[in-house]
Amino acid sequence: EMEAKYTKKMQALRDEMDLRRKTEIHELEERKNNQISELMGNHEGAFGAIKNYYNDITAKNLTLINLLKEQVEDLKKREAVLEKEKAEVLLQNKGLTEPLQEAQEQVAELQKKLVHYYRDKEALMNSKAHLKITQKELKDLQWEHEVLEQRFSKVQEERDELYQKFTKAINEVQQKTGFKNLLLERKLKGLLNLLEQKEVELSEVITASNLDPSALSLVSHKLEDVLSSKNATIHELQLQLARVCKAHNDMLQTFKAKLTTFGIPVDNLGFQPLSFPFPGQ
C-alpha cells in the first residue's frame, strides 16, 4: 500500500514537474522569440543607418574624387609650368655657379682675414695694455734713476770728503805712530845699552872691591831688584809699543773696509799703507 501510495505520489509529482517544465520551456521560447524579434528590429534599424551612412560617405567620396581629379589636372598643369621654370632656373644656376663659387672663395678668404683681424685686434689691445704698463714702469724707473743719481752724487761727495779725511787721518796717524815708535825704539835701545854698561861697571866694581860673599850677595840682590825694575819698565814699553802698533793696524783695516764699501780701490790712494809688525816679530 505504501509502495502504491508513493508510486502514485511519484507519478503525480512527475506529471506536475513535466507540466512545470513545459510551461517554463514555453515561457523561455516566448522570451527568446521576443528577443529575436527585438534584435532583428534593432539590426534592421542599424543596417538602415549604416546603409544611409555609407551611402552618404560614398556620395561624398565621389564628390571628393571628382574634386581631386580636377585638382590633379590643375597640379599637372602647374607641374608642367614648374618643370619649365625649373629648366629655366637650372640654366640660370649654371650661369651663376661660377660667380657663386668665386663668391664662396671670397667669403672663405674674408672669414680668414676676419679671424686674423680679431686676433691682431686682441694682440694690439694686449700690446697697448703692456705698453701702458711698460711706460708706467719706465716712468718709475726714470724717477728711481733720478733719485739714485742724486743719492749717488751725494754718496760721491761723502766718499770724496771721507777719502780726504781718511787720507789726512792716515797720514797724521802714520806720522804720529811712526814718530812714537821711533822714540820708543830709541828709548828701548838706550835703556838696553845703559843696562849693558851698568852690568859691565858692576862686574868691574865687584872684581876691584874683593867684597866678602855676604856683602856680594846683598849687592847682588839690590842689583837684581834694580834689574827687575828696569825689566818691568822695558816690558811696559814693549806693551805700549804693541798697543800702538795694534791700534795702527786696526785703523788701517777699518780704513780699507771703508774704501771697499765706497768702491774705492786701495791703489787710488797714491801711497802704500804700511802695517807695523808687533815687537818680537
Side-chain angles (χ1 to χ4, degrees), residues 56-271:
D56 292 337
I57 289 176
T58 303
K60 289 180 181 179
N61 286 336
L62 290 173
T63 304
L64 182 60
I65 287 169
N66 293 327
L67 180 61
L68 290 174
K69 284 181 179 180
E70 294 177 356
Q71 290 180 357
V72 168
E73 292 295 330
D74 293 336
L75 289 173
K76 285 182 179 180
K77 292 178 181 179
R78 290 182 61 186
E79 184 180 2
V81 174
L82 290 173
E83 286 291 336
K84 186 177 180 181
E85 291 178 354
K86 178 182 175 183
E88 294 177 355
V89 170
L90 288 174
L91 291 175
Q92 292 179 359
N93 285 338
K94 286 183 179 180
L96 294 175
T97 301
E98 293 181 0
L100 177 61
Q101 187 175 0
E102 293 178 358
Q104 288 177 348
E105 292 177 356
Q106 290 179 358
V107 168
E109 187 67 25
L110 290 174
Q111 286 179 348
K112 291 181 181 179
K113 289 182 179 180
L114 183 62
V115 171
H116 290 298
Y117 168 75
Y118 285 132
R119 188 180 302 168
D120 294 338
K121 184 178 180 181
E122 185 178 358
L124 180 61
M125 293 176 65
N126 293 332
S127 298
K128 286 183 178 179
H130 185 68
L131 179 61
K132 289 182 180 179
I133 296 172
T134 306
Q135 287 178 347
K136 186 177 181 301
E137 291 178 353
L138 179 61
K139 289 182 180 179
D140 294 339
L141 290 174
Q142 287 178 348
W143 182 77
E144 291 180 359
H145 179 69
E146 292 178 358
V147 172
L148 290 174
E149 280 187 347
Q150 293 177 1
R151 290 179 61 186
F152 180 70
S153 300
K154 187 176 180 181
V155 169
Q156 276 187 334
E157 293 177 358
E158 292 177 355
R159 184 200 65 182
D160 296 337
E161 184 178 356
L162 288 173
Y163 176 75
Q164 293 176 359
K165 288 182 179 179
F166 275 119
T167 303
K168 184 177 180 181
I170 195 68
N171 289 330
E172 291 178 356
V173 169
Q174 279 187 341
Q175 291 177 1
K176 289 180 180 179
T177 54
F179 182 71
K180 193 171 183 179
N181 289 338
L182 183 61
L183 290 177
L184 289 174
E185 288 178 358
R186 288 183 179 179
K187 189 173 182 180
L188 182 61
K189 287 181 180 180
L191 289 174
L192 290 174
N193 293 329
L194 182 62
L195 178 61
E196 291 177 357
Q197 184 179 357
K198 293 297 183 180
E199 287 179 351
V200 172
E201 291 178 357
L202 179 61
S203 298
E204 292 178 355
V205 169
I206 291 172
T207 304
S209 60
N210 293 322
L211 294 175
D212 57 352
S214 60
L216 183 60
S217 176
L218 180 61
V219 172
S220 297
H221 284 301
K222 289 183 179 181
L223 183 60
E224 287 178 357
D225 293 337
V226 173
L227 290 176
S228 297
S229 176
K230 297 298 181 180
N231 288 329
T233 303
I234 292 171
H235 184 67
E236 182 66 24
L237 290 174
Q238 287 177 346
L239 291 177
Q240 290 182 6
L241 179 60
R243 283 195 294 269
V244 171
C245 291
K246 185 178 185 304
H248 172 77
N249 292 334
D250 291 343
M251 186 273 298
L252 186 59
Q253 293 296 327
T254 303
F255 178 63
K256 289 181 178 180
K258 288 292 183 181
L259 291 178
T260 304
T261 302
F262 287 103
I264 303 173
V266 182
D267 298 336
N268 292 344
L269 290 177
F271 60 91

